[in-house]
């Protein structure tokens, strides 16, 4: 969830298919008009996008469903070519072959033992929601009121949650199959400044499916790697600062970090209530939007969502092929210049946007960027202690009842929990006082002001912008359990601290590793960002499936029945097969 300040890491091809895309857009709009579903659930307004049926098939579409999009899978289900049971079984088989053996991505911390039963029930149901039959993975810091654990990767959590997180309940109502939980960076990468992205004591080390010795990045590492590897249709990640955007970018998929308050956080293991949010991770903007529409809306359990019902709309209406035309997009060069691969991809992306009618304002200065990290560090340490104690108090079956208990557990289990890095961030949070401390109050107020009204809002107003643009962290770095992740500036930080939305989309490759770009903007500007991101995606054609390479320039690792078998993580064996 939190890309610690030290952790922020570093050919868009084009072709003119305007005639085909015009046909697709006409069809998409017609079907949205006929099939857009406006859902009113429990008296709370929430909007769900109906299935969008573009004429697009994935680059690896075949009889296997692993990389098919939601529209294609829904079509196959409607035509009787596939059942929900068959679809779920296919993904489970792929997980066993490639996640727990073969390349051994280790992105799945636990499969849902009830997944096939859920699929059978959906096969017999006549009512079909926007995610009908779609196997969806959930990050392991999100409560599910079933037989799976919610552990945030820690061995201290040994009991199931009492009920679903609100967003999980909404996914179920939309017809999703909750396929399992994904491996997070333990304690959402907020345990040590020497932490390793994608590692947890419970789940082991998640690997990037493009190049296996490379990081999957940040705390939603498992969600991103699983989607990239074709282990599910899509996944839910969470972000405090960069933990949807960084793993999505480095694993070559789309990630949407919504406006804080658009999606309920009730039932999420918290880090920072002033920055935490959940969001969709998918292989296309369309699928990410369908997933987003299923989870947005107000929730009395999360006061931050009080205005969500006023702003949540049918985001499918903004999947426009000409989404770039006339848009004023500002390039934040302060967030560039740190990785030549990312900068090269950014320049190709800018050229494509200009070609498609975008008005590029370059450069745009984002005020106060250099003042944010220190403020964020103060806020997160205070808020983590307060919010995790509240979460644990609401989960009485857990044996750890406070942050102090967690710290003590890690000390007792140091051989398993702290074999690679310590827990100094937990210790620092434990030493903080209550949220009534003046140090916290002042830091939190200043952080919001400098990142939002005097930061993003000021830059957009000055240049009359629709969105801001930045490169992502560059291609994935090598996993290093000894030194941990390197320290690189975080392009996600301004929007994360302001609570404003961001979207990352694939934009190119560097040495077989994905590189993305980030669009971000004002509060509640999801419609504009979705339109821009979709317009870019439809002409960039940047997504390519992973090849599971051993190392950059190396050979591909294959499934055990036809190639190399890598050792299974012992910490995963006890749960993955249940």
């Amino acid at each position: 969830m939190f890309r610690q300040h030290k952790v922020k890491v570093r050919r868009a091809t084009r072709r003119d298919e305007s005639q085909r895309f015009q046909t697709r857009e006409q069809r998409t709009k017609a079907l949205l008009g006929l099939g857009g579903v406006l859902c009113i659930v429990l008296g709370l307004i929430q909007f769900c996008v109906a299935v969008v049926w573009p004429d697009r098939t994935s680059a690896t579409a075949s009889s296997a469903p692993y990389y098919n999009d939601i529209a294609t899978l829904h079509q196959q289900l409607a035509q009787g070519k596939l059942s929900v049971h068959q679809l779920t079984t296919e993904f489970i088989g792929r997980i066993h072959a490639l996640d727990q053996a073969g390349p051994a991505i280790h992105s799945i911390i636990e499969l849902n033992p009830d997944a096939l039963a859920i699929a059978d029930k959906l096969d017999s149901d006549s009512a079909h929601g926007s995610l009908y039959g779609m196997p969806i993975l959930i990050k392991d810091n999100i409560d599910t009121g079933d037989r799976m654990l919610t552990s945030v990767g820690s061995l201290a959590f040994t009991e199931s949650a009492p009920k679903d997180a609100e967003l999980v309940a909404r996914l179920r109502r939309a017809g999703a199959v909750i396929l399992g939980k994904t491996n997070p960076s333990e304690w959402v990468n907020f345990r040590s400044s020497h932490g390793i992205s994608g590692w947890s004591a419970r789940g082991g080390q998640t690997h990037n499916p493009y190049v296996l010795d490379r990081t999957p990045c940040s705390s939603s590492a498992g969600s991103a790697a699983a989607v990239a590897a074709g282990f599910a249709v899509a996944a839910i990640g969470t972000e405090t600062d960069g933990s949807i955007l960084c793993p999505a970018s480095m694993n070559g998929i789309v990630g949407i970090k919504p406006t804080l308050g658009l999606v309920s956080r009730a039932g999420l293991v918290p880090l920072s209530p002033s920055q935490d949010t959940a969001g969709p991770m998918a292989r296309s903007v369309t699928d990410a939007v369908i997933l987003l529409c299923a989870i947005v809306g107000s929730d009395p359990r999360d006061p931050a969502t009080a205005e969500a019902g006023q702003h949540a709309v049918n985001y499918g209406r903004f999947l426009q092929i000409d989404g770039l035309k006339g848009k004023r997009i500002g390039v934040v060069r302060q967030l560039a210049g740190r990785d030549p691969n990312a900068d090269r991809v950014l320049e190709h992306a800018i050229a494509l946007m200009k070609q498609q009618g975008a008005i590029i304002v370059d450069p745009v200065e984002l005020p106060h960027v250099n003042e944010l990290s220190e403020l964020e560090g103060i806020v997160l340490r205070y808020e983590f202690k307060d919010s995790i104690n509240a979460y644990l108090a609401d989960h009485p079956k857990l044996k750890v009842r406070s942050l102090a208990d967690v710290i003590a557990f890690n000390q007792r289990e140091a051989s398993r929990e702290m074999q690679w890095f310590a827990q100094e961030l937990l210790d620092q949070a434990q030493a903080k006082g209550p949220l009534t401390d003046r140090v916290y109050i002042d830091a939190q107020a200043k952080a919001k002001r400098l990142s939002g009204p005097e930061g993003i809002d000021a830059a957009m107003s000055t240049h009359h912008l629709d969105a801001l643009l930045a490169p992502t962290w560059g291609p994935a770095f090598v996993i290093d359990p000894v030194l941990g992740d390197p320290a690189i500036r975080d392009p996600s930080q301004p929007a994360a601290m302001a609570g404003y939305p961001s979207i990352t989309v694939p934009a190119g490759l560097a040495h077989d590793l994905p590189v993305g770009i980030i669009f971000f903007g004002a509060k509640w500007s999801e419609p504009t960002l979705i339109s821009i991101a979709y317009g870019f995606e439809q002409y960039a054609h940047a997504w390519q499936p992973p090849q599971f390479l051993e190392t950059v320039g190396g050979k591909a690792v294959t499934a055990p029945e036809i190639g190399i078998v890598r050792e299974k993580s012992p910490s995963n064996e006890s749960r993955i097969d249940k």
Side-chain angles (χ1 to χ4, degrees), residues 253-308:
I253 64 170
V254 175
I256 301 179
K257 199 259 335 165
T259 298
L260 192 147
L262 187 61
V263 177
S264 172
R265 288 88 51 83
L268 273 63
V269 181
L271 170 50
S272 167
S274 66
Q275 293 185 205
D276 290 347
T277 188
M281 308 179 80
R283 288 180 292 272
S284 69
V285 175
T286 297
D287 282 1
V289 165
I290 293 172
L291 192 57
L292 177 66
C293 288
I295 62 175
V296 300
S298 299
D299 174 17
R301 293 170 62 195
D302 183 0
T305 64
E307 298 179 34

Side-chain angles (χ1 to χ4, degrees), residues 290-367:
I290 293 172
L291 192 57
L292 177 66
C293 288
I295 62 175
V296 300
S298 299
D299 174 17
R301 293 170 62 195
D302 183 0
T305 64
E307 298 179 34
Q310 303 170 33
H311 296 279
V313 297
N314 180 349
Y315 296 111
R317 293 190 289 116
F318 304 99
L319 297 171
Q320 300 163 346
I321 190 63
D322 61 350
L324 286 167
K325 188 175 181 178
K327 296 295 195 306
R328 292 180 59 85
I329 302 172
V331 183
V332 184
R333 292 287 174 181
Q334 298 149 285
L335 301 176
R338 289 163 179 81
D339 180 89
N341 298 289
D343 290 345
R344 183 170 57 251
V345 167
L346 178 66
E347 297 308 320
H348 282 298
I350 290 171
L352 184 149
M353 291 180 214
K354 288 179 178 179
Q355 186 182 49
Q356 299 307 320
I359 302 165
I360 303 298
V361 182
D362 186 6
V364 168
E365 183 177 353
L366 198 60

Side-chain angles (χ1 to χ4, degrees), residues 260-560:
L260 192 147
L262 187 61
V263 177
S264 172
R265 288 88 51 83
L268 273 63
V269 181
L271 170 50
S272 167
S274 66
Q275 293 185 205
D276 290 347
T277 188
M281 308 179 80
R283 288 180 292 272
S284 69
V285 175
T286 297
D287 282 1
V289 165
I290 293 172
L291 192 57
L292 177 66
C293 288
I295 62 175
V296 300
S298 299
D299 174 17
R301 293 170 62 195
D302 183 0
T305 64
E307 298 179 34
Q310 303 170 33
H311 296 279
V313 297
N314 180 349
Y315 296 111
R317 293 190 289 116
F318 304 99
L319 297 171
Q320 300 163 346
I321 190 63
D322 61 350
L324 286 167
K325 188 175 181 178
K327 296 295 195 306
R328 292 180 59 85
I329 302 172
V331 183
V332 184
R333 292 287 174 181
Q334 298 149 285
L335 301 176
R338 289 163 179 81
D339 180 89
N341 298 289
D343 290 345
R344 183 170 57 251
V345 167
L346 178 66
E347 297 308 320
H348 282 298
I350 290 171
L352 184 149
M353 291 180 214
K354 288 179 178 179
Q355 186 182 49
Q356 299 307 320
I359 302 165
I360 303 298
V361 182
D362 186 6
V364 168
E365 183 177 353
L366 198 60
H368 308 296
V369 166
N370 295 328
E371 302 172 52
L372 298 180
S373 289
E374 182 179 357
L375 294 169
E376 184 178 46
I378 295 170
V379 170
L380 296 192
R381 285 160 176 80
Y382 270 97
E383 291 190 356
F384 180 63
K385 177 183 178 180
D386 181 81
S387 60
I388 194 61
N389 284 341
Y391 175 89
L392 294 172
D394 196 40
H395 291 67
K397 293 199 313 185
L398 293 176
K399 295 178 181 178
V400 286
R401 310 296 305 129
S402 66
L403 177 56
D405 288 350
V406 171
I407 292 170
F409 176 88
N410 290 342
Q411 291 170 339
R412 291 194 304 272
E413 300 291 338
S415 62
R416 295 193 295 165
E417 281 285 356
M418 297 195 286
Q419 56 181 302
W420 296 117
F421 53 90
Q423 57 177 348
E424 73 273 9
L425 295 181
L426 302 188
D427 291 331
Q428 292 166 16
Q430 178 61 23
K432 296 298 181 184
L435 299 188
T436 54
D437 279 5
R438 177 53 58 183
V439 172
Y440 165 74
I441 293 171
D442 291 345
Q444 204 268 353
K446 188 175 182 181
K448 289 295 182 186
R449 175 169 53 83
L450 296 187
S451 59
E454 296 182 15
I456 293 172
D457 295 336
M460 295 188 68
S461 176
T462 297
H463 297 280
H464 309 287
L465 300 174
D466 295 293
L468 293 162
L469 168 67
T472 53
W473 294 257
F477 53 87
V478 174
I479 296 168
D480 187 345
V482 177
L483 300 179
D485 295 346
I488 302 294
R489 171 174 279 180
D490 172 14
S492 63
Q493 189 176 63
M497 292 179 65
Y500 292 0
S502 307
I503 300 180
T504 183
V505 291
L509 290 172
H511 308 288
D512 296 315
L513 290 163
V515 180
I517 55 174
I518 297 175
F519 299 105
F520 60 104
K523 191 175 185 179
W524 309 118
S525 64
E526 280 84 355
T528 299
L529 298 182
I530 287 167
S531 178
I532 291 171
Y534 182 78
F536 174 82
E537 173 196 58
Q538 295 304 297
Y539 289 98
H541 305 289
W543 181 82
Q544 294 187 31
Q547 300 302 310
F548 305 100
L549 302 178
E550 290 179 306
T551 190
V552 170
K555 297 179 180 179
V557 177
T558 56

